Amino acid sequence: MSAFLAYGRQTIEDDDIAAVAEALRSDFLTTGPRVEAFEDAFAEAVGARYAVACSNGTAALHLAMMALDVRPGEMVIVPSITFLATANCARYVGAEVIFADVDPSTGLMTPQTLQAALEQVGDRRLRAVLPVHLRGDVAELDRLAALTTQAGAVLVEDAPHALGSVAVFDNQKERIGDCRHSAMSTFSFHPVKPSPPVKAA
Ligand SMILES: Cc1ncc(COP(=O)(O)O)c(C=O)c1O
């Protein structure tokens, strides 16, 4: 007998299947009114002013770097524990990556580890800091944002693990994606990202 750990357990219901079938029978297989409806619904769900749909979380990170006009030779700070797309997006636009250490108990970039990474930047041009939220746990956005702004850079949240997370900063609730402390947040619909935690079978 062998046991398998499930990689993820998605919930697909009949109305999901019907919605896909309806799209397949419609005039638009890409673009079209469903994309706009999805963007509006997503922005409302996370409390953002705007949402832009793209093919996956990696493309979202790449577009974030392009939207900020990050250029070759400029610096981007990312945490040392993350999916490789967080660092790759900087490389896609020719920027250099500096890895910030993470808290060993949470895996998250912290104000202290960001401060140490900022010291490594020296007199090079830092353009962006990308904290990553992990398993629904949210990085200390208020303090990371303050340090980032002080360094003349822009905070972008890499948030695929935190769709639906809510944090409290200054006694105020912050929905991840509302971008109160960042210029942009990126998400992913890879099936293990928004799914609930896997329970043992
Ligand atoms: C933290 C993080 N950022 C970015 C991505 C990239 O998302 P996608 O797989 O949709 O390209 C992932 C997904 O694996 C991720 O875990």
Side-chain angles (χ1 to χ4, degrees):
M1 202 175 118
S2 51
F4 293 95
L5 287 177
Y7 179 51
R9 287 219 177 86
Q10 58 272 23
T11 305
I12 306 282
E13 289 168 344
D14 286 347
D15 60 341
D16 300 314
I17 293 167
V20 171
E22 203 185 317
L24 290 174
R25 289 197 185 95
S26 76
D27 292 336
F28 294 95
L29 286 188
T30 61
T31 68
R34 278 183 183 76
V35 176
E36 218 169 295
F38 171 77
E39 290 173 338
D40 291 347
F42 191 85
E44 191 175 333
V46 300
R49 270 192 288 169
Y50 316 100
V52 178
C54 45
S55 53
N56 52 45
T58 302
L61 285 163
H62 188 181
L63 286 173
M65 293 298 100
M66 292 174 77
L68 294 176
D69 195 24
V70 178
R71 304 239 167 151
E74 296 180 332
M75 303 289 132
V76 173
I77 295 179
V78 309
S80 48
I81 291 190
T82 180
F83 181 65
L84 75 175
T86 322
N88 280 351
C89 73
R91 300 298 302 141
Y92 292 156
V93 294
E96 301 297 325
V97 176
I98 293 184
F99 288 100
D101 210 345
V102 295
D103 180 318
S105 61
T106 63
L108 300 174
M109 180 195 287
T110 68
Q112 292 74 21
T113 66
L114 174 57
Q115 185 61 56
L118 288 169
E119 280 157 25
Q120 284 182 53
V121 174
D123 54 11
R124 294 173 292 178
R125 185 159 153 72
L126 176 70
R127 290 302 312 286
V129 174
L130 276 68
V132 176
H133 309 305
L134 284 181
R135 317 162 307 269
D137 288 346
V138 172
E140 279 182 69
L141 288 173
D142 52 349
R143 294 175 65 202
L144 296 177
L147 286 168
T148 302
T149 307
Q150 214 175 15
V154 175
L155 197 83
V156 176
E157 295 166 70
D158 187 13
H161 296 225
L163 180 58
S165 287
V166 177
V168 177
F169 298 108
D170 303 326
N171 292 323
Q172 233 183 304
K173 277 191 181 174
E174 176 160 338
R175 268 186 284 171
I176 294 309
D178 71 9
C179 300
R180 182 148 69 94
H181 287 102
S182 63
M184 288 172 257
S185 303
T186 61
F187 291 90
S188 164
F189 280 86
H190 178 289
V192 302
K193 297 298 179 303
S195 59
V198 175
K199 293 199 191 81

